[in-house]
Amino acid sequence: MTQPPPPPNQPPQQPGFGPPQEPSQPQQPAPSAPATPPTPPAQQPPAGPDLSKAPQPGYGYPQAPGTPPPAAPPAPPQGPGYGYPQQPPAGYGYPAQQPGPYGRPGPYGQPQQPGPYGQQPPYGYAQPTVPMQAQAGQQGGGRKINAQVAIIVSAVAAIALIVGAGVWYSSSSGKDDDKQTTAEGGDTKGGKGDGKEGGGSGDGGATTGEAKEKAPASTGSKVLFQVPSPKVPKGTTSIPISGSWLTDSVYAKSGLSEITGYDRRTGTKKWTLDLPGPVCTATPHLTEDNKTAIVHKPAMPSKTDPQACTEVAVIDLEAGTKVWSKTAKSGTMPISFNNVTLSGGTVAAGSTSGGAAWDVATGDERWAPKTSDSCYDAGYGGGPKLVAVRKCGSYDQRQLHIQTVDPTSGDVLAEYKMDEGIEYAAVVSTDPLVVAADVGDSAGDGSGISDFFSIDGKTGKLRARLSAPGDEFAARCDGIYKVENCSGVTVGNDRLYIATEEHDSGGESYSQTNEVVAFDLATGKQTGQRADAGENYEIYPLRMDGPNVIAYKRPPYDKGGQIVSIDGASFKETLLMENPSTEAVRDVESRMSPEYSEIQYGQGGLYMSSVYASDFTTREKEYSVIAFGTE
């Protein structure tokens, strides 16, 4: 695929441009501190990459200590003034609105982060994954470009992100002027299925319990509600609205400077939490009593004062209230945080100035950045365990330490040191521990992944290295800013499930397709299991459901999307939902790209949302959320 990725969801949080810089003085945070299902025989796909071959180390294999890392990415272009939003050139991740090959539309421009997002996915979020809605009429198409162009895209978007203000608005679907894009606009049912075998954002981790998602009597869905995209103020190009969460009763979504909780079936507003500034980043993880963590700006940005992401807050998603808000300092300066996560009753946030942590319930500080050595915690992965990505050494001799950390004390329980020259890493799963990295910048597609590393979380020893060339696999991770933001991949059953790149489906047709394949985390080899998307569909794993994989199928231009459950043992697909195929509904769904949107599925409800509000549109009406449900 050749489509450029959209701009990053999170710009560098320190003043200036370019990649994260070394702190002015060395800093650091904390003191140093399932049964495998049967494997069916390997299968050979009709076309595309050889999915049955064992991965081989290729270009970019970790270098011996002392090998210089790749050169720093070039600084982005300067604008008319510091922090002034730029207009990206055509083709750099923004809609071209031209048809692509095989009847698929051309580029779309949904930004999310410098590379993947897919920033994210909670309870089915891919996340979200770390990115801006694609424009009208675009359905699919290519997705990747080379790393150099990806860097330019990220830099241009970062400039635009630091400015923003505006007023959020939302309205219930079903009004007269919405009839062409809501359930009232025509046939509201998706394809009729029997709930049996079918034609992000993930929440990786150790597989426990039984699958909860069951096929309904009728798998055809209807539109439950839609939320109009907030209007950005005049002179502002785009403002991040990343962050969405799903509980048993509430679907919550970030706006320009607030978070709104909706009834997950009707879309009725249950509460609105006003914030002083935009949400910069959020964790997909929830506590048992439905609390989550965000980082937001202390005020709305302006051209003269872009504001830094200094405020870490815990939000109660049932009550719609802010439990507490905290900041941390490096020396005398407040830290601007790039990422935040939850684990073991602790909120942990990372940055280029080091990490800090607080008690979820009280907001009491558990540890704070230190400035006594040359290491700092760039970010954290949360969920069942807390894992730190710790950067040590000078820029030209960097080494990443992957550390399993005690959530309460910050003490290091186990550590794996990656080879020098690997500049960034993302945490795909904390239990079992899996990290992704672009070794030697060899992915070549802006995905941030050339290899996965399976690590023993108790001993810190490398279990296996999984080769995942960017031209064969479609997962994306943002190891630069949002350390736990990956899409197109999930972990369970001591296996890694990953989407392949789209390829010709074979035969005389010009159709495209892809698959989800599995890697054994103990051996690093493919198991031979494969779940096919089907002709002109693209399949993306979202999260685990007990031993099963929940996946979204992006549809061809004339059908609605699907949610399927892939059996972890047999890899049999069960259709859980099929969305309406009417043009009005397809038009909204098609702009929620699984790589650059937040997609959550649970209890028969599918919630798709954008992570940017922008003025890059010619459409009269845009939507930041569309929700589907079965009867």
Side-chain angles (χ1 to χ4, degrees), residues 236-279:
T236 301
T237 54
S238 62
I239 291 179
I241 55 171
S242 60
S244 61
W245 305 268
L246 192 61
T247 74
D248 289 340
S249 60
V250 172
Y251 172 75
K253 173 63 183 170
S254 295
L256 292 185
S257 60
E258 70 281 304
I259 299 173
T260 302
Y262 302 91
D263 182 286
R264 56 176 293 164
R265 294 298 298 180
T266 66
T268 303
K269 284 187 182 181
K270 302 187 75 170
W271 50 261
T272 297
L273 173 63
D274 292 326
L275 299 170
V279 173

mmCIF file of all heavy atoms in Angstrom, residues 236-279:
data_model
loop_
_atom_site.group_PDB
_atom_site.id
_atom_site.type_symbol
_atom_site.label_atom_id
_atom_site.label_comp_id
_atom_site.label_asym_id
_atom_site.label_seq_id
_atom_site.Cartn_x
_atom_site.Cartn_y
_atom_site.Cartn_z
ATOM 1 N N THR A 236 -8.252 28.307 12.814
ATOM 2 C CA THR A 236 -7.662 27.112 13.411
ATOM 3 C C THR A 236 -7.829 25.954 12.446
ATOM 4 O O THR A 236 -8.921 25.725 11.927
ATOM 5 C CB THR A 236 -8.357 26.775 14.742
ATOM 6 O OG1 THR A 236 -8.226 27.873 15.633
ATOM 7 C CG2 THR A 236 -7.743 25.536 15.372
ATOM 8 N N THR A 237 -6.752 25.249 12.184
ATOM 9 C CA THR A 237 -6.832 24.149 11.227
ATOM 10 C C THR A 237 -7.393 22.883 11.847
ATOM 11 O O THR A 237 -8.267 22.233 11.272
ATOM 12 C CB THR A 237 -5.440 23.839 10.654
ATOM 13 O OG1 THR A 237 -4.523 23.611 11.728
ATOM 14 C CG2 THR A 237 -4.935 24.999 9.806
ATOM 15 N N SER A 238 -6.884 22.496 13.015
ATOM 16 C CA SER A 238 -7.362 21.262 13.638
ATOM 17 C C SER A 238 -7.075 21.273 15.131
ATOM 18 O O SER A 238 -6.146 21.929 15.601
ATOM 19 C CB SER A 238 -6.694 20.042 13.001
ATOM 20 O OG SER A 238 -5.293 20.080 13.190
ATOM 21 N N ILE A 239 -7.903 20.531 15.859
ATOM 22 C CA ILE A 239 -7.755 20.397 17.313
ATOM 23 C C ILE A 239 -7.965 18.926 17.658
ATOM 24 O O ILE A 239 -8.913 18.292 17.173
ATOM 25 C CB ILE A 239 -8.781 21.267 18.065
ATOM 26 C CG1 ILE A 239 -8.453 22.750 17.871
ATOM 27 C CG2 ILE A 239 -8.801 20.932 19.557
ATOM 28 C CD1 ILE A 239 -9.420 23.689 18.542
ATOM 29 N N PRO A 240 -7.099 18.331 18.480
ATOM 30 C CA PRO A 240 -7.274 16.928 18.840
ATOM 31 C C PRO A 240 -8.505 16.703 19.706
ATOM 32 O O PRO A 240 -8.809 17.498 20.587
ATOM 33 C CB PRO A 240 -5.992 16.594 19.613
ATOM 34 C CG PRO A 240 -5.504 17.908 20.127
ATOM 35 C CD PRO A 240 -5.901 18.924 19.101
ATOM 36 N N ILE A 241 -9.226 15.635 19.427
ATOM 37 C CA ILE A 241 -10.365 15.225 20.255
ATOM 38 C C ILE A 241 -10.236 13.730 20.555
ATOM 39 O O ILE A 241 -11.218 12.997 20.584
ATOM 40 C CB ILE A 241 -11.715 15.547 19.584
ATOM 41 C CG1 ILE A 241 -11.802 14.943 18.184
ATOM 42 C CG2 ILE A 241 -11.954 17.044 19.529
ATOM 43 C CD1 ILE A 241 -13.196 15.056 17.561
ATOM 44 N N SER A 242 -8.997 13.287 20.775
ATOM 45 C CA SER A 242 -8.772 11.869 21.049
ATOM 46 C C SER A 242 -9.268 11.505 22.436
ATOM 47 O O SER A 242 -9.306 12.332 23.340
ATOM 48 C CB SER A 242 -7.278 11.546 20.928
ATOM 49 O OG SER A 242 -6.532 12.302 21.853
ATOM 50 N N GLY A 243 -9.647 10.268 22.595
ATOM 51 C CA GLY A 243 -10.147 9.772 23.868
ATOM 52 C C GLY A 243 -11.583 9.329 23.753
ATOM 53 O O GLY A 243 -12.477 10.136 23.480
ATOM 54 N N SER A 244 -11.831 8.027 23.922
ATOM 55 C CA SER A 244 -13.193 7.502 23.972
ATOM 56 C C SER A 244 -13.179 6.248 24.828
ATOM 57 O O SER A 244 -12.196 5.501 24.839
ATOM 58 C CB SER A 244 -13.727 7.195 22.573
ATOM 59 O OG SER A 244 -12.937 6.211 21.931
ATOM 60 N N TRP A 245 -14.273 6.020 25.548
ATOM 61 C CA TRP A 245 -14.335 4.923 26.516
ATOM 62 C C TRP A 245 -15.740 4.312 26.515
ATOM 63 O O TRP A 245 -16.721 4.989 26.256
ATOM 64 C CB TRP A 245 -14.006 5.417 27.917
ATOM 65 C CG TRP A 245 -12.688 6.122 28.021
ATOM 66 C CD1 TRP A 245 -11.482 5.577 28.335
ATOM 67 C CD2 TRP A 245 -12.438 7.526 27.805
ATOM 68 N NE1 TRP A 245 -10.498 6.542 28.326
ATOM 69 C CE2 TRP A 245 -11.052 7.749 28.011
ATOM 70 C CE3 TRP A 245 -13.244 8.610 27.460
ATOM 71 C CZ2 TRP A 245 -10.470 9.003 27.877
ATOM 72 C CZ3 TRP A 245 -12.668 9.864 27.319
ATOM 73 C CH2 TRP A 245 -11.287 10.047 27.533
ATOM 74 N N LEU A 246 -15.785 3.034 26.850
ATOM 75 C CA LEU A 246 -17.049 2.303 26.847
ATOM 76 C C LEU A 246 -17.208 1.572 28.169
ATOM 77 O O LEU A 246 -16.345 0.791 28.568
ATOM 78 C CB LEU A 246 -17.051 1.305 25.684
ATOM 79 C CG LEU A 246 -18.374 0.625 25.327
ATOM 80 C CD1 LEU A 246 -19.422 1.650 24.916
ATOM 81 C CD2 LEU A 246 -18.140 -0.377 24.205
ATOM 82 N N THR A 247 -18.315 1.857 28.867
ATOM 83 C CA THR A 247 -18.663 1.131 30.088
ATOM 84 C C THR A 247 -19.968 0.376 29.832
ATOM 85 O O THR A 247 -20.488 0.380 28.717
ATOM 86 C CB THR A 247 -18.838 2.077 31.285
ATOM 87 O OG1 THR A 247 -20.083 2.784 31.164
ATOM 88 C CG2 THR A 247 -17.680 3.074 31.376
ATOM 89 N N ASP A 248 -20.519 -0.254 30.867
ATOM 90 C CA ASP A 248 -21.767 -0.985 30.682
ATOM 91 C C ASP A 248 -22.927 -0.076 30.306
ATOM 92 O O ASP A 248 -23.885 -0.512 29.669
ATOM 93 C CB ASP A 248 -22.127 -1.745 31.965
ATOM 94 C CG ASP A 248 -21.203 -2.926 32.213
ATOM 95 O OD1 ASP A 248 -20.552 -3.379 31.251
ATOM 96 O OD2 ASP A 248 -21.118 -3.397 33.368
ATOM 97 N N SER A 249 -22.855 1.196 30.691
ATOM 98 C CA SER A 249 -23.993 2.090 30.442
ATOM 99 C C SER A 249 -23.630 3.347 29.669
ATOM 100 O O SER A 249 -24.507 4.019 29.136
ATOM 101 C CB SER A 249 -24.625 2.514 31.780
ATOM 102 O OG SER A 249 -23.676 3.192 32.589
ATOM 103 N N VAL A 250 -22.342 3.692 29.580
ATOM 104 C CA VAL A 250 -21.927 4.981 29.020
ATOM 105 C C VAL A 250 -20.911 4.806 27.901
ATOM 106 O O VAL A 250 -20.004 3.969 27.983
ATOM 107 C CB VAL A 250 -21.312 5.873 30.116
ATOM 108 C CG1 VAL A 250 -20.701 7.140 29.528
ATOM 109 C CG2 VAL A 250 -22.354 6.229 31.162
ATOM 110 N N TYR A 251 -21.095 5.593 26.852
ATOM 111 C CA TYR A 251 -20.043 5.802 25.858
ATOM 112 C C TYR A 251 -19.585 7.246 26.037
ATOM 113 O O TYR A 251 -20.392 8.177 25.925
ATOM 114 C CB TYR A 251 -20.544 5.586 24.431
ATOM 115 C CG TYR A 251 -19.511 5.998 23.390
ATOM 116 C CD1 TYR A 251 -18.398 5.201 23.148
ATOM 117 C CD2 TYR A 251 -19.645 7.186 22.680
ATOM 118 C CE1 TYR A 251 -17.440 5.573 22.220
ATOM 119 C CE2 TYR A 251 -18.695 7.568 21.745
ATOM 120 C CZ TYR A 251 -17.598 6.762 21.522
ATOM 121 O OH TYR A 251 -16.641 7.145 20.606
ATOM 122 N N ALA A 252 -18.312 7.443 26.358
ATOM 123 C CA ALA A 252 -17.790 8.786 26.611
ATOM 124 C C ALA A 252 -16.801 9.176 25.526
ATOM 125 O O ALA A 252 -16.008 8.340 25.071
ATOM 126 C CB ALA A 252 -17.121 8.857 27.984
ATOM 127 N N LYS A 253 -16.842 10.439 25.115
ATOM 128 C CA LYS A 253 -16.005 10.923 24.023
ATOM 129 C C LYS A 253 -15.508 12.337 24.311
ATOM 130 O O LYS A 253 -16.257 13.183 24.788
ATOM 131 C CB LYS A 253 -16.813 10.914 22.710
ATOM 132 C CG LYS A 253 -16.094 11.547 21.523
ATOM 133 C CD LYS A 253 -14.828 10.796 21.159
ATOM 134 C CE LYS A 253 -14.078 11.487 20.017
ATOM 135 N NZ LYS A 253 -12.730 10.902 19.820
ATOM 136 N N SER A 254 -14.232 12.584 24.007
ATOM 137 C CA SER A 254 -13.650 13.920 24.176
ATOM 138 C C SER A 254 -14.152 14.870 23.098
ATOM 139 O O SER A 254 -14.351 14.471 21.948
ATOM 140 C CB SER A 254 -12.118 13.849 24.096
ATOM 141 O OG SER A 254 -11.587 13.102 25.149
ATOM 142 N N GLY A 255 -14.340 16.135 23.491
ATOM 143 C CA GLY A 255 -14.659 17.199 22.555
ATOM 144 C C GLY A 255 -13.521 18.202 22.529
ATOM 145 O O GLY A 255 -12.383 17.892 22.874
ATOM 146 N N LEU A 256 -13.815 19.447 22.139
ATOM 147 C CA LEU A 256 -12.760 20.458 22.042
ATOM 148 C C LEU A 256 -12.164 20.775 23.401
ATOM 149 O O LEU A 256 -10.948 20.903 23.534
ATOM 150 C CB LEU A 256 -13.309 21.735 21.406
ATOM 151 C CG LEU A 256 -13.699 21.659 19.929
ATOM 152 C CD1 LEU A 256 -14.095 23.033 19.429
ATOM 153 C CD2 LEU A 256 -12.574 21.082 19.085
ATOM 154 N N SER A 257 -12.984 20.944 24.407
ATOM 155 C CA SER A 257 -12.490 21.234 25.752
ATOM 156 C C SER A 257 -13.445 20.649 26.793
ATOM 157 O O SER A 257 -13.760 21.281 27.783
ATOM 158 C CB SER A 257 -12.338 22.741 25.970
ATOM 159 O OG SER A 257 -13.585 23.397 25.803
ATOM 160 N N GLU A 258 -13.901 19.432 26.520
ATOM 161 C CA GLU A 258 -14.783 18.741 27.443
ATOM 162 C C GLU A 258 -14.851 17.265 27.083
ATOM 163 O O GLU A 258 -14.381 16.840 26.035
ATOM 164 C CB GLU A 258 -16.198 19.334 27.429
ATOM 165 C CG GLU A 258 -16.983 19.072 26.167
ATOM 166 C CD GLU A 258 -16.572 19.989 25.063
ATOM 167 O OE1 GLU A 258 -16.625 21.207 25.249
ATOM 168 O OE2 GLU A 258 -16.184 19.495 23.985
ATOM 169 N N ILE A 259 -15.430 16.502 27.974
ATOM 170 C CA ILE A 259 -15.736 15.094 27.722
ATOM 171 C C ILE A 259 -17.227 14.918 27.979
ATOM 172 O O ILE A 259 -17.759 15.415 28.971
ATOM 173 C CB ILE A 259 -14.926 14.164 28.656
ATOM 174 C CG1 ILE A 259 -13.428 14.359 28.414
ATOM 175 C CG2 ILE A 259 -15.316 12.715 28.438
ATOM 176 C CD1 ILE A 259 -12.554 13.604 29.400
ATOM 177 N N THR A 260 -17.907 14.228 27.055
ATOM 178 C CA THR A 260 -19.346 14.034 27.176
ATOM 179 C C THR A 260 -19.652 12.550 27.299
ATOM 180 O O THR A 260 -19.095 11.732 26.557
ATOM 181 C CB THR A 260 -20.087 14.620 25.964
ATOM 182 O OG1 THR A 260 -19.784 16.006 25.862
ATOM 183 C CG2 THR A 260 -21.591 14.443 26.108
ATOM 184 N N GLY A 261 -20.536 12.215 28.229
ATOM 185 C CA GLY A 261 -20.980 10.841 28.398
ATOM 186 C C GLY A 261 -22.353 10.664 27.780
ATOM 187 O O GLY A 261 -23.277 11.430 28.080
ATOM 188 N N TYR A 262 -22.509 9.655 26.899
ATOM 189 C CA TYR A 262 -23.770 9.395 26.212
ATOM 190 C C TYR A 262 -24.332 8.050 26.657
ATOM 191 O O TYR A 262 -23.571 7.116 26.938
ATOM 192 C CB TYR A 262 -23.555 9.343 24.686
ATOM 193 C CG TYR A 262 -22.970 10.593 24.102
ATOM 194 C CD1 TYR A 262 -21.585 10.743 23.968
ATOM 195 C CD2 TYR A 262 -23.785 11.636 23.665
ATOM 196 C CE1 TYR A 262 -21.035 11.894 23.426
ATOM 197 C CE2 TYR A 262 -23.247 12.791 23.118
ATOM 198 C CZ TYR A 262 -21.873 12.907 22.999
ATOM 199 O OH TYR A 262 -21.328 14.052 22.462
ATOM 200 N N ASP A 263 -25.649 7.949 26.709
ATOM 201 C CA ASP A 263 -26.272 6.653 26.890
ATOM 202 C C ASP A 263 -25.864 5.785 25.702
ATOM 203 O O ASP A 263 -26.035 6.172 24.548
ATOM 204 C CB ASP A 263 -27.799 6.787 26.938
ATOM 205 C CG ASP A 263 -28.482 5.456 27.175
ATOM 206 O OD1 ASP A 263 -28.526 4.643 26.225
ATOM 207 O OD2 ASP A 263 -28.977 5.223 28.290
ATOM 208 N N ARG A 264 -25.313 4.629 25.963
ATOM 209 C CA ARG A 264 -24.711 3.852 24.884
ATOM 210 C C ARG A 264 -25.725 3.282 23.906
ATOM 211 O O ARG A 264 -25.340 2.836 22.815
ATOM 212 C CB ARG A 264 -23.821 2.736 25.436
ATOM 213 C CG ARG A 264 -24.478 1.789 26.387
ATOM 214 C CD ARG A 264 -23.510 0.666 26.779
ATOM 215 N NE ARG A 264 -23.209 -0.190 25.650
ATOM 216 C CZ ARG A 264 -22.195 -1.049 25.607
ATOM 217 N NH1 ARG A 264 -21.371 -1.132 26.623
ATOM 218 N NH2 ARG A 264 -22.003 -1.820 24.563
ATOM 219 N N ARG A 265 -27.011 3.285 24.229
ATOM 220 C CA ARG A 265 -28.028 2.791 23.300
ATOM 221 C C ARG A 265 -28.772 3.906 22.581
ATOM 222 O O ARG A 265 -29.115 3.774 21.413
ATOM 223 C CB ARG A 265 -29.041 1.919 24.048
ATOM 224 C CG ARG A 265 -28.485 0.631 24.602
ATOM 225 C CD ARG A 265 -27.961 -0.306 23.523
ATOM 226 N NE ARG A 265 -28.984 -0.743 22.579
ATOM 227 C CZ ARG A 265 -28.750 -1.566 21.566
ATOM 228 N NH1 ARG A 265 -27.526 -2.051 21.372
ATOM 229 N NH2 ARG A 265 -29.709 -1.914 20.735
ATOM 230 N N THR A 266 -29.021 5.014 23.276
ATOM 231 C CA THR A 266 -29.843 6.071 22.687
ATOM 232 C C THR A 266 -29.043 7.288 22.247
ATOM 233 O O THR A 266 -29.531 8.092 21.451
ATOM 234 C CB THR A 266 -30.911 6.539 23.686
ATOM 235 O OG1 THR A 266 -30.264 7.183 24.796
ATOM 236 C CG2 THR A 266 -31.734 5.362 24.190
ATOM 237 N N GLY A 267 -27.839 7.479 22.782
ATOM 238 C CA GLY A 267 -27.058 8.663 22.461
ATOM 239 C C GLY A 267 -27.449 9.881 23.265
ATOM 240 O O GLY A 267 -26.896 10.964 23.070
ATOM 241 N N THR A 268 -28.395 9.727 24.184
ATOM 242 C CA THR A 268 -28.793 10.845 25.042
ATOM 243 C C THR A 268 -27.636 11.254 25.941
ATOM 244 O O THR A 268 -26.957 10.409 26.528
ATOM 245 C CB THR A 268 -29.995 10.449 25.923
ATOM 246 O OG1 THR A 268 -31.074 10.034 25.083
ATOM 247 C CG2 THR A 268 -30.444 11.622 26.787
ATOM 248 N N LYS A 269 -27.395 12.553 26.067
ATOM 249 C CA LYS A 269 -26.322 13.030 26.936
ATOM 250 C C LYS A 269 -26.662 12.734 28.393
ATOM 251 O O LYS A 269 -27.716 13.124 28.884
ATOM 252 C CB LYS A 269 -26.116 14.535 26.771
ATOM 253 C CG LYS A 269 -25.400 14.946 25.505
ATOM 254 C CD LYS A 269 -25.114 16.444 25.533
ATOM 255 C CE LYS A 269 -24.435 16.902 24.258
ATOM 256 N NZ LYS A 269 -24.135 18.351 24.297
ATOM 257 N N LYS A 270 -25.750 12.050 29.066
ATOM 258 C CA LYS A 270 -25.931 11.776 30.490
ATOM 259 C C LYS A 270 -25.182 12.795 31.331
ATOM 260 O O LYS A 270 -25.600 13.124 32.436
ATOM 261 C CB LYS A 270 -25.456 10.359 30.820
ATOM 262 C CG LYS A 270 -26.173 9.273 30.028
ATOM 263 C CD LYS A 270 -25.793 7.875 30.497
ATOM 264 C CE LYS A 270 -26.458 7.554 31.819
ATOM 265 N NZ LYS A 270 -26.307 6.122 32.175
ATOM 266 N N TRP A 271 -24.045 13.289 30.805
ATOM 267 C CA TRP A 271 -23.275 14.306 31.520
ATOM 268 C C TRP A 271 -22.258 14.943 30.570
ATOM 269 O O TRP A 271 -21.914 14.369 29.528
ATOM 270 C CB TRP A 271 -22.560 13.726 32.744
ATOM 271 C CG TRP A 271 -21.742 12.465 32.492
ATOM 272 C CD1 TRP A 271 -22.119 11.174 32.735
ATOM 273 C CD2 TRP A 271 -20.408 12.389 31.944
ATOM 274 N NE1 TRP A 271 -21.111 10.303 32.383
ATOM 275 C CE2 TRP A 271 -20.051 11.018 31.906
ATOM 276 C CE3 TRP A 271 -19.491 13.331 31.494
ATOM 277 C CZ2 TRP A 271 -18.817 10.568 31.421
ATOM 278 C CZ3 TRP A 271 -18.261 12.898 31.014
ATOM 279 C CH2 TRP A 271 -17.928 11.537 30.981
ATOM 280 N N THR A 272 -21.806 16.140 30.937
ATOM 281 C CA THR A 272 -20.733 16.816 30.221
ATOM 282 C C THR A 272 -19.762 17.375 31.246
ATOM 283 O O THR A 272 -20.165 18.085 32.170
ATOM 284 C CB THR A 272 -21.258 17.961 29.334
ATOM 285 O OG1 THR A 272 -22.115 17.418 28.320
ATOM 286 C CG2 THR A 272 -20.107 18.697 28.659
ATOM 287 N N LEU A 273 -18.497 17.040 31.095
ATOM 288 C CA LEU A 273 -17.447 17.520 31.985
ATOM 289 C C LEU A 273 -16.627 18.570 31.249
ATOM 290 O O LEU A 273 -15.929 18.261 30.284
ATOM 291 C CB LEU A 273 -16.545 16.363 32.430
ATOM 292 C CG LEU A 273 -15.297 16.740 33.242
ATOM 293 C CD1 LEU A 273 -15.695 17.384 34.568
ATOM 294 C CD2 LEU A 273 -14.429 15.507 33.470
ATOM 295 N N ASP A 274 -16.729 19.812 31.691
ATOM 296 C CA ASP A 274 -15.968 20.889 31.062
ATOM 297 C C ASP A 274 -14.512 20.856 31.522
ATOM 298 O O ASP A 274 -14.211 20.620 32.693
ATOM 299 C CB ASP A 274 -16.580 22.251 31.423
ATOM 300 C CG ASP A 274 -17.947 22.450 30.790
ATOM 301 O OD1 ASP A 274 -18.158 21.959 29.668
ATOM 302 O OD2 ASP A 274 -18.811 23.082 31.431
ATOM 303 N N LEU A 275 -13.623 21.111 30.590
ATOM 304 C CA LEU A 275 -12.193 21.171 30.865
ATOM 305 C C LEU A 275 -11.669 22.544 30.468
ATOM 306 O O LEU A 275 -12.249 23.196 29.583
ATOM 307 C CB LEU A 275 -11.448 20.084 30.081
ATOM 308 C CG LEU A 275 -11.831 18.630 30.377
ATOM 309 C CD1 LEU A 275 -11.182 17.693 29.360
ATOM 310 C CD2 LEU A 275 -11.422 18.244 31.795
ATOM 311 N N PRO A 276 -10.572 23.016 31.070
ATOM 312 C CA PRO A 276 -10.041 24.333 30.700
ATOM 313 C C PRO A 276 -9.380 24.354 29.330
ATOM 314 O O PRO A 276 -9.236 25.424 28.727
ATOM 315 C CB PRO A 276 -9.012 24.607 31.809
ATOM 316 C CG PRO A 276 -8.615 23.263 32.310
ATOM 317 C CD PRO A 276 -9.842 22.422 32.206
ATOM 318 N N GLY A 277 -8.974 23.196 28.829
ATOM 319 C CA GLY A 277 -8.317 23.121 27.532
ATOM 320 C C GLY A 277 -8.512 21.754 26.907
ATOM 321 O O GLY A 277 -9.116 20.853 27.512
ATOM 322 N N PRO A 278 -8.011 21.540 25.690
ATOM 323 C CA PRO A 278 -8.200 20.276 24.981
ATOM 324 C C PRO A 278 -7.501 19.104 25.660
ATOM 325 O O PRO A 278 -6.508 19.266 26.366
ATOM 326 C CB PRO A 278 -7.562 20.544 23.604
ATOM 327 C CG PRO A 278 -7.478 22.027 23.483
ATOM 328 C CD PRO A 278 -7.309 22.551 24.868
ATOM 329 N N VAL A 279 -8.035 17.905 25.417
ATOM 330 C CA VAL A 279 -7.388 16.676 25.863
ATOM 331 C C VAL A 279 -6.213 16.404 24.922
ATOM 332 O O VAL A 279 -6.381 16.337 23.704
ATOM 333 C CB VAL A 279 -8.366 15.488 25.852
ATOM 334 C CG1 VAL A 279 -7.644 14.184 26.159
ATOM 335 C CG2 VAL A 279 -9.488 15.715 26.850
#
